[in-house]
Amino acid sequence: MSIRNALDISKYFVIGPENTKGRPVADIVRAVVDAGFTCIQLRSKEAGAREMIELSRQTADIIAAAGRSDSLALLIDDRLDVALAARKLGIKVDGVHVGQGDIPVSICRDYLGEDCIVGLSARSQDLFDYVKTADVSQIDYFGAGPLRPSVTKLDCGRDENGNILTRNFEELTELAAISPIPVVVGGGVTAADLPALKKTGVAGFFVVSAIASADDPAAAALELARMWDGSAR
């Protein structure tokens, strides 16, 4: 079965070298894999293509060593070129995540194939109308948020006055109900938010600094995973 058909975005981690406080990305990825996270996205606005390819290799090797290559998806943010180059080198990259201003979803799928995963950041400014009307035939999930202002996503949506648009649990409940595809929510999410977030019906949460910037990333990842898994819908 294709990993696209088995996609699980319930516990989704996003990381780049600028997020780790100087610690190796691979060490934090290993902690996240061991904690049971289900999706990893490599995202960096600073790393060059070769560094991203090497991070892809390290991450894919960690996933493989854990025996989870068929169930834990590895995605690359924005960089279709990195995903293609990594695959050419035999690295198991499962797809990409793109934003509204990145390479169109249709082109990503043309190059990566029908079995790849393509996630899309849902528009913040007109979120509900967009989710209702967007062509989702080539998209596997929406990324939405932030729940609160996030230090790692300073370019998130803003209103006409320049204020960051955040989403409350009531809005996320509505979003989960109307979206034709799964929704994963992040942006300032903490472990304490997860019981209420799970009750909204969204498919999962994503975090960056809650793990990557923690004093003990392994403990932080375990707390987040256990809090989500132990919460009732």
Side-chain angles (χ1 to χ4, degrees), residues 12-30:
Y12 189 132
F13 181 53
V14 182
I15 189 171
E18 60 263 48
N19 306 129
T20 67
K21 293 186 172 180
R23 298 170 292 192
V25 169
D27 290 352
I28 297 176
V29 165
R30 189 172 291 107

PDB file of all heavy atoms in Angstrom, residues 12-30:
ATOM      1  N   TYR A  12       2.695  15.577  14.019  1.00  0.00           N
ATOM      2  CA  TYR A  12       3.429  16.088  12.850  1.00  0.00           C
ATOM      3  C   TYR A  12       4.499  17.058  13.352  1.00  0.00           C
ATOM      4  O   TYR A  12       4.200  18.029  14.043  1.00  0.00           O
ATOM      5  CB  TYR A  12       2.403  16.796  11.967  1.00  0.00           C
ATOM      6  CG  TYR A  12       2.816  17.253  10.584  1.00  0.00           C
ATOM      7  CD1 TYR A  12       2.004  16.972   9.487  1.00  0.00           C
ATOM      8  CD2 TYR A  12       3.943  18.025  10.363  1.00  0.00           C
ATOM      9  CE1 TYR A  12       2.319  17.420   8.212  1.00  0.00           C
ATOM     10  CE2 TYR A  12       4.271  18.479   9.094  1.00  0.00           C
ATOM     11  CZ  TYR A  12       3.450  18.172   8.028  1.00  0.00           C
ATOM     12  OH  TYR A  12       3.769  18.621   6.769  1.00  0.00           O
ATOM     13  N   PHE A  13       5.730  16.782  12.989  1.00  0.00           N
ATOM     14  CA  PHE A  13       6.858  17.601  13.450  1.00  0.00           C
ATOM     15  C   PHE A  13       7.533  18.288  12.277  1.00  0.00           C
ATOM     16  O   PHE A  13       7.781  17.675  11.235  1.00  0.00           O
ATOM     17  CB  PHE A  13       7.871  16.706  14.175  1.00  0.00           C
ATOM     18  CG  PHE A  13       9.072  17.441  14.711  1.00  0.00           C
ATOM     19  CD1 PHE A  13       8.924  18.543  15.532  1.00  0.00           C
ATOM     20  CD2 PHE A  13      10.355  17.006  14.401  1.00  0.00           C
ATOM     21  CE1 PHE A  13      10.040  19.214  16.030  1.00  0.00           C
ATOM     22  CE2 PHE A  13      11.464  17.660  14.897  1.00  0.00           C
ATOM     23  CZ  PHE A  13      11.310  18.768  15.718  1.00  0.00           C
ATOM     24  N   VAL A  14       7.823  19.571  12.455  1.00  0.00           N
ATOM     25  CA  VAL A  14       8.487  20.389  11.441  1.00  0.00           C
ATOM     26  C   VAL A  14       9.826  20.843  12.010  1.00  0.00           C
ATOM     27  O   VAL A  14       9.888  21.335  13.140  1.00  0.00           O
ATOM     28  CB  VAL A  14       7.634  21.616  11.067  1.00  0.00           C
ATOM     29  CG1 VAL A  14       8.317  22.441   9.978  1.00  0.00           C
ATOM     30  CG2 VAL A  14       6.238  21.195  10.623  1.00  0.00           C
ATOM     31  N   ILE A  15      10.902  20.705  11.212  1.00  0.00           N
ATOM     32  CA  ILE A  15      12.223  21.061  11.742  1.00  0.00           C
ATOM     33  C   ILE A  15      13.158  21.505  10.629  1.00  0.00           C
ATOM     34  O   ILE A  15      13.069  21.046   9.487  1.00  0.00           O
ATOM     35  CB  ILE A  15      12.851  19.874  12.502  1.00  0.00           C
ATOM     36  CG1 ILE A  15      14.126  20.312  13.247  1.00  0.00           C
ATOM     37  CG2 ILE A  15      13.106  18.695  11.569  1.00  0.00           C
ATOM     38  CD1 ILE A  15      14.681  19.269  14.187  1.00  0.00           C
ATOM     39  N   GLY A  16      14.036  22.429  10.984  1.00  0.00           N
ATOM     40  CA  GLY A  16      15.148  22.844  10.147  1.00  0.00           C
ATOM     41  C   GLY A  16      16.318  23.178  11.045  1.00  0.00           C
ATOM     42  O   GLY A  16      16.167  23.324  12.267  1.00  0.00           O
ATOM     43  N   PRO A  17      17.508  23.329  10.500  1.00  0.00           N
ATOM     44  CA  PRO A  17      18.684  23.561  11.337  1.00  0.00           C
ATOM     45  C   PRO A  17      18.622  24.844  12.142  1.00  0.00           C
ATOM     46  O   PRO A  17      19.280  24.961  13.181  1.00  0.00           O
ATOM     47  CB  PRO A  17      19.845  23.574  10.330  1.00  0.00           C
ATOM     48  CG  PRO A  17      19.217  23.740   8.985  1.00  0.00           C
ATOM     49  CD  PRO A  17      17.851  23.172   9.076  1.00  0.00           C
ATOM     50  N   GLU A  18      17.832  25.806  11.694  1.00  0.00           N
ATOM     51  CA  GLU A  18      17.731  27.059  12.442  1.00  0.00           C
ATOM     52  C   GLU A  18      16.850  26.946  13.681  1.00  0.00           C
ATOM     53  O   GLU A  18      16.757  27.885  14.477  1.00  0.00           O
ATOM     54  CB  GLU A  18      17.212  28.190  11.544  1.00  0.00           C
ATOM     55  CG  GLU A  18      15.847  27.963  10.935  1.00  0.00           C
ATOM     56  CD  GLU A  18      15.926  27.417   9.525  1.00  0.00           C
ATOM     57  OE1 GLU A  18      16.684  26.451   9.307  1.00  0.00           O
ATOM     58  OE2 GLU A  18      15.219  27.944   8.646  1.00  0.00           O
ATOM     59  N   ASN A  19      16.203  25.807  13.868  1.00  0.00           N
ATOM     60  CA  ASN A  19      15.255  25.644  14.978  1.00  0.00           C
ATOM     61  C   ASN A  19      15.837  24.914  16.176  1.00  0.00           C
ATOM     62  O   ASN A  19      15.155  24.771  17.194  1.00  0.00           O
ATOM     63  CB  ASN A  19      14.021  24.858  14.512  1.00  0.00           C
ATOM     64  CG  ASN A  19      13.347  25.435  13.294  1.00  0.00           C
ATOM     65  OD1 ASN A  19      13.091  24.714  12.333  1.00  0.00           O
ATOM     66  ND2 ASN A  19      13.070  26.726  13.308  1.00  0.00           N
ATOM     67  N   THR A  20      17.054  24.398  16.080  1.00  0.00           N
ATOM     68  CA  THR A  20      17.528  23.407  17.049  1.00  0.00           C
ATOM     69  C   THR A  20      18.447  23.948  18.146  1.00  0.00           C
ATOM     70  O   THR A  20      18.974  23.156  18.927  1.00  0.00           O
ATOM     71  CB  THR A  20      18.281  22.285  16.318  1.00  0.00           C
ATOM     72  OG1 THR A  20      19.483  22.840  15.754  1.00  0.00           O
ATOM     73  CG2 THR A  20      17.432  21.667  15.217  1.00  0.00           C
ATOM     74  N   LYS A  21      18.675  25.241  18.192  1.00  0.00           N
ATOM     75  CA  LYS A  21      19.617  25.830  19.146  1.00  0.00           C
ATOM     76  C   LYS A  21      21.012  25.243  18.982  1.00  0.00           C
ATOM     77  O   LYS A  21      21.744  25.024  19.954  1.00  0.00           O
ATOM     78  CB  LYS A  21      19.133  25.633  20.588  1.00  0.00           C
ATOM     79  CG  LYS A  21      17.868  26.404  20.915  1.00  0.00           C
ATOM     80  CD  LYS A  21      17.510  26.284  22.386  1.00  0.00           C
ATOM     81  CE  LYS A  21      16.361  27.202  22.754  1.00  0.00           C
ATOM     82  NZ  LYS A  21      15.988  27.097  24.181  1.00  0.00           N
ATOM     83  N   GLY A  22      21.387  24.968  17.737  1.00  0.00           N
ATOM     84  CA  GLY A  22      22.718  24.485  17.433  1.00  0.00           C
ATOM     85  C   GLY A  22      22.913  22.991  17.576  1.00  0.00           C
ATOM     86  O   GLY A  22      24.003  22.476  17.309  1.00  0.00           O
ATOM     87  N   ARG A  23      21.884  22.281  17.977  1.00  0.00           N
ATOM     88  CA  ARG A  23      21.988  20.830  18.125  1.00  0.00           C
ATOM     89  C   ARG A  23      21.743  20.139  16.787  1.00  0.00           C
ATOM     90  O   ARG A  23      21.042  20.679  15.926  1.00  0.00           O
ATOM     91  CB  ARG A  23      20.987  20.346  19.179  1.00  0.00           C
ATOM     92  CG  ARG A  23      21.261  20.932  20.563  1.00  0.00           C
ATOM     93  CD  ARG A  23      20.153  20.651  21.545  1.00  0.00           C
ATOM     94  NE  ARG A  23      18.920  21.373  21.200  1.00  0.00           N
ATOM     95  CZ  ARG A  23      17.877  21.494  22.011  1.00  0.00           C
ATOM     96  NH1 ARG A  23      17.917  20.923  23.206  1.00  0.00           N
ATOM     97  NH2 ARG A  23      16.814  22.168  21.636  1.00  0.00           N
ATOM     98  N   PRO A  24      22.301  18.949  16.580  1.00  0.00           N
ATOM     99  CA  PRO A  24      22.100  18.258  15.306  1.00  0.00           C
ATOM    100  C   PRO A  24      20.626  17.955  15.047  1.00  0.00           C
ATOM    101  O   PRO A  24      19.923  17.454  15.945  1.00  0.00           O
ATOM    102  CB  PRO A  24      22.901  16.961  15.476  1.00  0.00           C
ATOM    103  CG  PRO A  24      23.915  17.271  16.526  1.00  0.00           C
ATOM    104  CD  PRO A  24      23.240  18.222  17.469  1.00  0.00           C
ATOM    105  N   VAL A  25      20.179  18.240  13.842  1.00  0.00           N
ATOM    106  CA  VAL A  25      18.802  17.930  13.466  1.00  0.00           C
ATOM    107  C   VAL A  25      18.522  16.445  13.659  1.00  0.00           C
ATOM    108  O   VAL A  25      17.456  16.048  14.154  1.00  0.00           O
ATOM    109  CB  VAL A  25      18.538  18.353  12.003  1.00  0.00           C
ATOM    110  CG1 VAL A  25      17.208  17.793  11.502  1.00  0.00           C
ATOM    111  CG2 VAL A  25      18.555  19.873  11.870  1.00  0.00           C
ATOM    112  N   ALA A  26      19.463  15.607  13.285  1.00  0.00           N
ATOM    113  CA  ALA A  26      19.255  14.160  13.352  1.00  0.00           C
ATOM    114  C   ALA A  26      18.949  13.687  14.768  1.00  0.00           C
ATOM    115  O   ALA A  26      18.129  12.778  14.963  1.00  0.00           O
ATOM    116  CB  ALA A  26      20.479  13.422  12.809  1.00  0.00           C
ATOM    117  N   ASP A  27      19.588  14.283  15.775  1.00  0.00           N
ATOM    118  CA  ASP A  27      19.342  13.866  17.159  1.00  0.00           C
ATOM    119  C   ASP A  27      17.899  14.139  17.560  1.00  0.00           C
ATOM    120  O   ASP A  27      17.262  13.331  18.249  1.00  0.00           O
ATOM    121  CB  ASP A  27      20.290  14.597  18.113  1.00  0.00           C
ATOM    122  CG  ASP A  27      21.738  14.136  17.981  1.00  0.00           C
ATOM    123  OD1 ASP A  27      21.986  13.140  17.266  1.00  0.00           O
ATOM    124  OD2 ASP A  27      22.618  14.779  18.590  1.00  0.00           O
ATOM    125  N   ILE A  28      17.381  15.284  17.139  1.00  0.00           N
ATOM    126  CA  ILE A  28      16.015  15.640  17.495  1.00  0.00           C
ATOM    127  C   ILE A  28      15.018  14.813  16.688  1.00  0.00           C
ATOM    128  O   ILE A  28      13.992  14.364  17.217  1.00  0.00           O
ATOM    129  CB  ILE A  28      15.801  17.154  17.316  1.00  0.00           C
ATOM    130  CG1 ILE A  28      16.739  17.909  18.276  1.00  0.00           C
ATOM    131  CG2 ILE A  28      14.346  17.536  17.578  1.00  0.00           C
ATOM    132  CD1 ILE A  28      16.715  19.404  18.143  1.00  0.00           C
ATOM    133  N   VAL A  29      15.327  14.578  15.423  1.00  0.00           N
ATOM    134  CA  VAL A  29      14.475  13.711  14.606  1.00  0.00           C
ATOM    135  C   VAL A  29      14.381  12.326  15.228  1.00  0.00           C
ATOM    136  O   VAL A  29      13.297  11.727  15.312  1.00  0.00           O
ATOM    137  CB  VAL A  29      15.011  13.631  13.164  1.00  0.00           C
ATOM    138  CG1 VAL A  29      14.365  12.473  12.408  1.00  0.00           C
ATOM    139  CG2 VAL A  29      14.751  14.940  12.431  1.00  0.00           C
ATOM    140  N   ARG A  30      15.490  11.795  15.686  1.00  0.00           N
ATOM    141  CA  ARG A  30      15.494  10.455  16.284  1.00  0.00           C
ATOM    142  C   ARG A  30      14.584  10.419  17.514  1.00  0.00           C
ATOM    143  O   ARG A  30      13.821   9.458  17.721  1.00  0.00           O
ATOM    144  CB  ARG A  30      16.917  10.057  16.657  1.00  0.00           C
ATOM    145  CG  ARG A  30      17.063   8.608  17.080  1.00  0.00           C
ATOM    146  CD  ARG A  30      18.521   8.219  17.261  1.00  0.00           C
ATOM    147  NE  ARG A  30      19.242   8.187  15.986  1.00  0.00           N
ATOM    148  CZ  ARG A  30      20.131   9.101  15.601  1.00  0.00           C
ATOM    149  NH1 ARG A  30      20.406  10.137  16.390  1.00  0.00           N
ATOM    150  NH2 ARG A  30      20.743   8.998  14.437  1.00  0.00           N
TER     151      ARG A  30
END
